[in-house]
Amino acid sequence: MVKNSMSSINEIVLDYVKKYSDEEKEFCPNCLEQGNETTMFRPKGDKITYDDGVKHVHKGVKKAAFCPVCGYSTKDGGDKPVTKAELEQKTAEIATENSLKNGALGYLNATSIFAKDITNCTFKNFKHDNADRLQVARYVAKGAIHLSKGDNTHMILQGHTGSGKTHLAFATVRDVFDRTKYRVKYQKRQPSTNEMVDAYRNIEIVFCSWPLLMKRIKDGFNDESIKKMADKTVSALQTADIAVIDDLGAERDTDFNFEQIDNLMQVREDLPLIVTTNESFDELAEKYDERTVSRIKAHSALIKFDDVADYR
């Protein structure tokens, strides 16, 4: 009963507004932020002001537009109403942004192999409870800025287990998403003019636990569905805009495993890369070889976690 009464009151108010106001072909910017398309109204007649009690009629000057739903008004110099064309443009921009975001997150989820759930890891929730942790977090955050700009940086997070390397590696992924707005710019040819113009696509980032990938590749020898998943990750590691290799060196020492990292680094030597490892470069060279480690070290920013206490 109350609901019906309120509905009737709203209709009466709207009828009154329409009777004494002109309906604008523009929309309330405040309601649009809430996802509602509400038409603005403008009281009929010329604008009227008072100066020391004297009434002034401003011929040809419109009164302030207002929203009958939320009460928003242009009277106090707020944002101007949004035209239909502006609304359509804004809607298209939001749709594009959502498409790029969904594409970037979809690529990450479809190609990555996580050893544990780290998707909530950010720079903000990394424990900055001592100077060493704060310092490494700052170094990694600087690396994230370079990666977001498209620099072919190899950021190597090196140190003992439990120091927060994996947390900061994924925090970098999230930071790059935020800074790039999930997109990268590229050039495409305009069919009508045959000229090259700027365009955008979703950024492609893959995050891979290296020991789990080695296991998945081997499991795929006897299972076609597992093989397809492993092949997708390997392909992404070679072609993604940014590749993250987590826990390199923790896998068993075999010629097969060495061949996998050697093949990958031949491709990614000059492409953006993040590596987390418990091993020093000397230990990695002993496990693989100098050539492979040299490719990992190319364009590298080494961030050591040696003095960082156990994070967990």
Side-chain angles (χ1 to χ4, degrees), residues 195-217:
E195 294 180 353
M196 300 301 290
V197 296
D198 289 341
Y200 292 92
R201 61 167 175 80
N202 63 268
I203 190 169
E204 296 178 347
I205 303 178
V206 56
F207 193 107
C208 175
S209 166
W210 190 254
L212 288 185
L213 175 60
M214 295 301 98
K215 182 179 184 304
R216 183 171 290 184
I217 291 174

mmCIF file of all heavy atoms in Angstrom, residues 195-217:
data_model
loop_
_atom_site.group_PDB
_atom_site.id
_atom_site.type_symbol
_atom_site.label_atom_id
_atom_site.label_comp_id
_atom_site.label_asym_id
_atom_site.label_seq_id
_atom_site.Cartn_x
_atom_site.Cartn_y
_atom_site.Cartn_z
ATOM 1 N N GLU A 195 46.282 4.217 -44.387
ATOM 2 C CA GLU A 195 47.238 4.824 -43.457
ATOM 3 C C GLU A 195 47.289 4.027 -42.162
ATOM 4 O O GLU A 195 46.321 3.367 -41.776
ATOM 5 C CB GLU A 195 46.836 6.276 -43.150
ATOM 6 C CG GLU A 195 46.923 7.209 -44.345
ATOM 7 C CD GLU A 195 46.523 8.630 -43.972
ATOM 8 O OE1 GLU A 195 46.052 8.822 -42.827
ATOM 9 O OE2 GLU A 195 46.672 9.528 -44.817
ATOM 10 N N MET A 196 48.433 4.109 -41.471
ATOM 11 C CA MET A 196 48.590 3.455 -40.183
ATOM 12 C C MET A 196 48.046 4.370 -39.093
ATOM 13 O O MET A 196 48.397 5.556 -39.039
ATOM 14 C CB MET A 196 50.053 3.128 -39.916
ATOM 15 C CG MET A 196 50.690 2.193 -40.939
ATOM 16 S SD MET A 196 49.835 0.597 -41.050
ATOM 17 C CE MET A 196 50.265 -0.125 -39.464
ATOM 18 N N VAL A 197 47.186 3.849 -38.237
ATOM 19 C CA VAL A 197 46.582 4.639 -37.158
ATOM 20 C C VAL A 197 46.743 3.896 -35.836
ATOM 21 O O VAL A 197 46.944 2.676 -35.793
ATOM 22 C CB VAL A 197 45.084 4.905 -37.424
ATOM 23 C CG1 VAL A 197 44.907 5.746 -38.673
ATOM 24 C CG2 VAL A 197 44.324 3.587 -37.549
ATOM 25 N N ASP A 198 46.644 4.643 -34.734
ATOM 26 C CA ASP A 198 46.726 4.041 -33.411
ATOM 27 C C ASP A 198 45.453 3.248 -33.096
ATOM 28 O O ASP A 198 44.344 3.660 -33.445
ATOM 29 C CB ASP A 198 46.908 5.117 -32.338
ATOM 30 C CG ASP A 198 48.292 5.753 -32.387
ATOM 31 O OD1 ASP A 198 49.194 5.132 -32.980
ATOM 32 O OD2 ASP A 198 48.459 6.858 -31.837
ATOM 33 N N ALA A 199 45.637 2.104 -32.448
ATOM 34 C CA ALA A 199 44.509 1.283 -32.008
ATOM 35 C C ALA A 199 44.897 0.626 -30.683
ATOM 36 O O ALA A 199 46.063 0.691 -30.266
ATOM 37 C CB ALA A 199 44.161 0.227 -33.060
ATOM 38 N N TYR A 200 43.907 0.022 -30.024
ATOM 39 C CA TYR A 200 44.166 -0.604 -28.726
ATOM 40 C C TYR A 200 43.641 -2.042 -28.714
ATOM 41 O O TYR A 200 42.646 -2.357 -29.352
ATOM 42 C CB TYR A 200 43.490 0.186 -27.597
ATOM 43 C CG TYR A 200 44.089 1.555 -27.372
ATOM 44 C CD1 TYR A 200 43.581 2.674 -28.022
ATOM 45 C CD2 TYR A 200 45.182 1.719 -26.517
ATOM 46 C CE1 TYR A 200 44.135 3.930 -27.817
ATOM 47 C CE2 TYR A 200 45.745 2.964 -26.310
ATOM 48 C CZ TYR A 200 45.215 4.063 -26.954
ATOM 49 O OH TYR A 200 45.776 5.300 -26.767
ATOM 50 N N ARG A 201 44.334 -2.882 -27.969
ATOM 51 C CA ARG A 201 43.886 -4.245 -27.700
ATOM 52 C C ARG A 201 44.166 -4.538 -26.236
ATOM 53 O O ARG A 201 44.919 -3.800 -25.571
ATOM 54 C CB ARG A 201 44.612 -5.258 -28.588
ATOM 55 C CG ARG A 201 46.121 -5.292 -28.389
ATOM 56 C CD ARG A 201 46.758 -6.505 -29.047
ATOM 57 N NE ARG A 201 48.211 -6.498 -28.956
ATOM 58 C CZ ARG A 201 48.889 -6.874 -27.876
ATOM 59 N NH1 ARG A 201 48.250 -7.283 -26.791
ATOM 60 N NH2 ARG A 201 50.214 -6.850 -27.862
ATOM 61 N N ASN A 202 43.574 -5.609 -25.712
ATOM 62 C CA ASN A 202 43.832 -5.921 -24.310
ATOM 63 C C ASN A 202 45.263 -6.426 -24.118
ATOM 64 O O ASN A 202 45.823 -7.120 -24.975
ATOM 65 C CB ASN A 202 42.844 -6.963 -23.782
ATOM 66 C CG ASN A 202 42.943 -8.310 -24.470
ATOM 67 O OD1 ASN A 202 42.244 -8.556 -25.452
ATOM 68 N ND2 ASN A 202 43.815 -9.187 -23.974
ATOM 69 N N ILE A 203 45.864 -6.035 -23.012
ATOM 70 C CA ILE A 203 47.225 -6.470 -22.705
ATOM 71 C C ILE A 203 47.213 -7.949 -22.347
ATOM 72 O O ILE A 203 46.244 -8.454 -21.762
ATOM 73 C CB ILE A 203 47.822 -5.630 -21.548
ATOM 74 C CG1 ILE A 203 49.316 -5.918 -21.400
ATOM 75 C CG2 ILE A 203 47.080 -5.873 -20.239
ATOM 76 C CD1 ILE A 203 50.031 -4.948 -20.466
ATOM 77 N N GLU A 204 48.265 -8.664 -22.714
ATOM 78 C CA GLU A 204 48.348 -10.101 -22.465
ATOM 79 C C GLU A 204 49.485 -10.380 -21.470
ATOM 80 O O GLU A 204 50.651 -10.108 -21.754
ATOM 81 C CB GLU A 204 48.592 -10.851 -23.777
ATOM 82 C CG GLU A 204 47.431 -10.699 -24.762
ATOM 83 C CD GLU A 204 47.677 -11.400 -26.083
ATOM 84 O OE1 GLU A 204 48.848 -11.799 -26.344
ATOM 85 O OE2 GLU A 204 46.727 -11.554 -26.874
ATOM 86 N N ILE A 205 49.101 -10.896 -20.300
ATOM 87 C CA ILE A 205 50.066 -11.243 -19.259
ATOM 88 C C ILE A 205 49.806 -12.684 -18.813
ATOM 89 O O ILE A 205 48.660 -13.066 -18.579
ATOM 90 C CB ILE A 205 49.950 -10.297 -18.048
ATOM 91 C CG1 ILE A 205 50.139 -8.832 -18.472
ATOM 92 C CG2 ILE A 205 50.981 -10.665 -16.977
ATOM 93 C CD1 ILE A 205 49.999 -7.831 -17.335
ATOM 94 N N VAL A 206 50.867 -13.457 -18.700
ATOM 95 C CA VAL A 206 50.755 -14.847 -18.240
ATOM 96 C C VAL A 206 51.606 -14.997 -16.986
ATOM 97 O O VAL A 206 52.722 -14.469 -16.905
ATOM 98 C CB VAL A 206 51.190 -15.850 -19.330
ATOM 99 C CG1 VAL A 206 52.588 -15.562 -19.816
ATOM 100 C CG2 VAL A 206 51.066 -17.287 -18.820
ATOM 101 N N PHE A 207 51.081 -15.719 -15.997
ATOM 102 C CA PHE A 207 51.783 -15.965 -14.738
ATOM 103 C C PHE A 207 51.899 -17.469 -14.572
ATOM 104 O O PHE A 207 50.895 -18.186 -14.557
ATOM 105 C CB PHE A 207 50.996 -15.368 -13.566
ATOM 106 C CG PHE A 207 51.764 -15.300 -12.270
ATOM 107 C CD1 PHE A 207 52.217 -14.085 -11.796
ATOM 108 C CD2 PHE A 207 52.028 -16.439 -11.522
ATOM 109 C CE1 PHE A 207 52.913 -13.987 -10.603
ATOM 110 C CE2 PHE A 207 52.726 -16.374 -10.339
ATOM 111 C CZ PHE A 207 53.173 -15.143 -9.867
ATOM 112 N N CYS A 208 53.131 -17.971 -14.447
ATOM 113 C CA CYS A 208 53.322 -19.421 -14.480
ATOM 114 C C CYS A 208 54.246 -19.926 -13.379
ATOM 115 O O CYS A 208 55.388 -19.472 -13.257
ATOM 116 C CB CYS A 208 53.903 -19.807 -15.844
ATOM 117 S SG CYS A 208 54.333 -21.551 -15.975
ATOM 118 N N SER A 209 53.734 -20.856 -12.573
ATOM 119 C CA SER A 209 54.587 -21.599 -11.649
ATOM 120 C C SER A 209 55.419 -22.568 -12.486
ATOM 121 O O SER A 209 54.875 -23.506 -13.073
ATOM 122 C CB SER A 209 53.731 -22.362 -10.628
ATOM 123 O OG SER A 209 54.508 -23.314 -9.940
ATOM 124 N N TRP A 210 56.742 -22.336 -12.550
ATOM 125 C CA TRP A 210 57.579 -23.137 -13.438
ATOM 126 C C TRP A 210 57.592 -24.625 -13.070
ATOM 127 O O TRP A 210 57.447 -25.480 -13.954
ATOM 128 C CB TRP A 210 58.994 -22.571 -13.478
ATOM 129 C CG TRP A 210 59.840 -23.182 -14.537
ATOM 130 C CD1 TRP A 210 60.847 -24.086 -14.386
ATOM 131 C CD2 TRP A 210 59.725 -22.956 -15.949
ATOM 132 N NE1 TRP A 210 61.382 -24.436 -15.595
ATOM 133 C CE2 TRP A 210 60.709 -23.753 -16.585
ATOM 134 C CE3 TRP A 210 58.898 -22.162 -16.742
ATOM 135 C CZ2 TRP A 210 60.885 -23.771 -17.962
ATOM 136 C CZ3 TRP A 210 59.070 -22.174 -18.114
ATOM 137 C CH2 TRP A 210 60.048 -22.975 -18.716
ATOM 138 N N PRO A 211 57.729 -24.991 -11.792
ATOM 139 C CA PRO A 211 57.699 -26.419 -11.450
ATOM 140 C C PRO A 211 56.385 -27.093 -11.849
ATOM 141 O O PRO A 211 56.382 -28.238 -12.325
ATOM 142 C CB PRO A 211 57.884 -26.432 -9.932
ATOM 143 C CG PRO A 211 58.596 -25.156 -9.625
ATOM 144 C CD PRO A 211 58.038 -24.168 -10.600
ATOM 145 N N LEU A 212 55.251 -26.374 -11.679
ATOM 146 C CA LEU A 212 53.969 -26.974 -12.041
ATOM 147 C C LEU A 212 53.832 -27.110 -13.554
ATOM 148 O O LEU A 212 53.211 -28.059 -14.044
ATOM 149 C CB LEU A 212 52.816 -26.146 -11.478
ATOM 150 C CG LEU A 212 52.604 -26.219 -9.965
ATOM 151 C CD1 LEU A 212 51.350 -25.430 -9.576
ATOM 152 C CD2 LEU A 212 52.469 -27.670 -9.500
ATOM 153 N N LEU A 213 54.401 -26.168 -14.302
ATOM 154 C CA LEU A 213 54.359 -26.287 -15.761
ATOM 155 C C LEU A 213 55.160 -27.505 -16.216
ATOM 156 O O LEU A 213 54.705 -28.252 -17.096
ATOM 157 C CB LEU A 213 54.913 -25.029 -16.431
ATOM 158 C CG LEU A 213 55.027 -25.098 -17.964
ATOM 159 C CD1 LEU A 213 53.667 -25.334 -18.609
ATOM 160 C CD2 LEU A 213 55.689 -23.847 -18.525
ATOM 161 N N MET A 214 56.345 -27.716 -15.631
ATOM 162 C CA MET A 214 57.144 -28.883 -15.999
ATOM 163 C C MET A 214 56.368 -30.178 -15.734
ATOM 164 O O MET A 214 56.378 -31.114 -16.540
ATOM 165 C CB MET A 214 58.454 -28.898 -15.218
ATOM 166 C CG MET A 214 59.408 -27.743 -15.535
ATOM 167 S SD MET A 214 59.892 -27.659 -17.282
ATOM 168 C CE MET A 214 58.757 -26.400 -17.885
ATOM 169 N N LYS A 215 55.667 -30.200 -14.609
ATOM 170 C CA LYS A 215 54.867 -31.390 -14.280
ATOM 171 C C LYS A 215 53.707 -31.550 -15.259
ATOM 172 O O LYS A 215 53.412 -32.658 -15.719
ATOM 173 C CB LYS A 215 54.330 -31.279 -12.855
ATOM 174 C CG LYS A 215 53.522 -32.491 -12.400
ATOM 175 C CD LYS A 215 53.032 -32.321 -10.974
ATOM 176 C CE LYS A 215 52.301 -33.579 -10.487
ATOM 177 N NZ LYS A 215 51.190 -33.985 -11.339
ATOM 178 N N ARG A 216 53.071 -30.435 -15.592
ATOM 179 C CA ARG A 216 51.920 -30.521 -16.501
ATOM 180 C C ARG A 216 52.352 -30.974 -17.896
ATOM 181 O O ARG A 216 51.633 -31.744 -18.550
ATOM 182 C CB ARG A 216 51.212 -29.157 -16.576
ATOM 183 C CG ARG A 216 49.976 -29.162 -17.436
ATOM 184 C CD ARG A 216 49.182 -27.875 -17.305
ATOM 185 N NE ARG A 216 48.545 -27.756 -16.004
ATOM 186 C CZ ARG A 216 47.727 -26.768 -15.659
ATOM 187 N NH1 ARG A 216 47.451 -25.808 -16.545
ATOM 188 N NH2 ARG A 216 47.184 -26.722 -14.461
ATOM 189 N N ILE A 217 53.490 -30.499 -18.359
ATOM 190 C CA ILE A 217 53.981 -30.928 -19.675
ATOM 191 C C ILE A 217 54.185 -32.441 -19.690
ATOM 192 O O ILE A 217 53.781 -33.139 -20.634
ATOM 193 C CB ILE A 217 55.286 -30.198 -20.035
ATOM 194 C CG1 ILE A 217 55.014 -28.713 -20.308
ATOM 195 C CG2 ILE A 217 55.928 -30.829 -21.277
ATOM 196 C CD1 ILE A 217 56.272 -27.883 -20.542
#
